Amino acid sequence: LSICGKLCYAIGGAPNQVAGSAAAFFLQIYLLDIAHITPFHASLVLFIGKASGAVTDPVAGFFISKSRWTKIGRLMPWMLACTPFTVVSYFFMWYLPPFVSGRVAWYLTFYCLFQALTTLFQVPYSALTMFLSTDQKERDSATAYRMTMEVLGTLIGAALQGQIVASAHVSHHCTVTPPENTTDSWHDTPSFPDPSDPLSHQAKVYMIAAGVIGGVYLLGVIILFLGVKEKDDPYALNSDRAIPFCKGLGLTMKHGPYVKLTASFLLISTAVQLEQSNFVLFCTHAAGLRNHFQYLVVTILISAAVSIPFWQKFLQRFGKKCAACGISWMIPFAVMLVTIPNLILAYVVAFVSGLSIAASLLLPWSMLPDVVDNFRLRNPHGKGHETIFYSSYVFFTKMSAGIGLGISAAGLEFTGYKPGICRQSDDVILTLKILIGAVPAILILVGLFILLFYPITEESRKETKLALEALR
């Protein structure tokens, strides 16, 4: 693979991360403080939206596995066809409608559409790794390029969104220290008026950010189409038949390495999602860092982007399972931030969290091709199973993340979160601390414990490579 080809492949996946990052960091606070819908309804939007994307994964995998080879490949037509609709649904997801009573239905509709359409892009795009090269090192290298660019995309999305919409969440009223004899009225004072007008400043800046990110989407997909050529499976014989989707799904669910890998990283990815979705709320309401959240988010993502090459070298030298230890680095620092909220400590936590997030992003997508190769060796006369593996993996991680986000938003509703006020109640602050500190720590530790039983080692990878070369 040429460096140019790897770069074009990597750039193609970045827009999905740009949009996903903006939604992960800012959608919850947007729904609560700008759209002024209740935390319960926000939890419904987040959970049902994620669930709709998750349900689309096996459906997308089914239809993609049935699609025929075209002049531009079997996967590329799907990515090109869904992109314009994805951009439109993304823009309206951040549009503040002039009516109030139907806002929940509005955001639910367009968030579900966005999640479903990004799935139609993500499933063929992630499976495309298997059709770039048959060499494990080349695929690992392409995956490292992809993860670096996706983390940069996450950085660009959070930075663009953070800088453009920061003025919608910074209130000079809330930075004033209340007098000692303050009453509860200060706690109940809204930091902003209800932005029910779609032309209000808060609504405008979110629509501007959505338009900019939509343009990035189109540019990335054009580069992917022009720079990447899809290659058919070179191991397949003319007599080989595509594995039926339902049969293939049953086989993947019985494949030990896949089950352990998926179980581990669905817990870890849920922990990262909880950190992302609640970080801005935590900085704003629980840590007194209202004016610094956008810079902390950028610090996290710069750290993640810079450390991807380090983790790639680390896993090549010490193995992929050993590299998983880096995911646990964020735990002690996050607990420290929760217990000792301090600006300098917050930047240290942001930097270390970026290192851990980079490892959690790179490892599953680097390990999944090894699982697919292992399955291919055990089922030598079937083909078309790649999209089944990738679609079902994304299904499980999205479902777990949706459940986690829904529970976290419901927790804020239960403890009495009030949108737009200067200071939340002590119960809300405690809930945010638990969602940032305790819950992710438990999920990461359980996920890493499951990963200890993952059977594919560096030696078995080499044996699989030799066996597949002999099969070819």
Side-chain angles (χ1 to χ4, degrees), residues 227-300:
V228 175
K229 289 187 177 181
E230 189 178 338
K231 302 173 184 176
D232 203 358
D233 184 1
Y235 296 141
L237 304 174
N238 291 331
S239 59
D240 290 347
R241 291 186 176 184
I243 298 176
F245 183 83
C246 293
K247 179 183 178 182
L249 190 61
L251 291 173
T252 59
M253 293 301 102
K254 297 175 183 177
H255 193 58
Y258 179 71
V259 172
K260 294 178 176 66
L261 179 71
T262 303
S264 172
F265 278 98
L266 70 84
L267 294 173
I268 293 169
S269 65
T270 302
V272 174
Q273 283 277 344
L274 283 172
E275 291 275 358
Q276 282 185 321
S277 63
N278 291 290
F279 187 76
V280 177
L281 282 170
F282 174 78
C283 290
T284 303
H285 299 298
L289 302 171
R290 180 186 293 270
N291 296 327
H292 296 272
F293 70 82
Q294 66 267 39
Y295 306 112
L296 290 168
V297 168
V298 169
T299 302
I300 291 173

Side-chain angles (χ1 to χ4, degrees), residues 235 255 370-381 385 460 463-471:
Y235 296 141
H255 193 58
D370 302 334
V371 173
V372 177
D373 279 346
N374 183 272
F375 180 86
R376 175 70 165 139
L377 191 61
R378 298 187 187 183
N379 300 271
H381 296 294
H385 54 280
S460 65
E463 292 172 2
T464 300
K465 179 184 177 181
L466 293 172
L468 286 176
E469 286 176 353
L471 176 64

Side-chain angles (χ1 to χ4, degrees), residues 11 56 124 139 243 311 415:
I11 290 171
T56 310
R139 289 202 308 255
I243 298 176
W311 286 118
T415 52

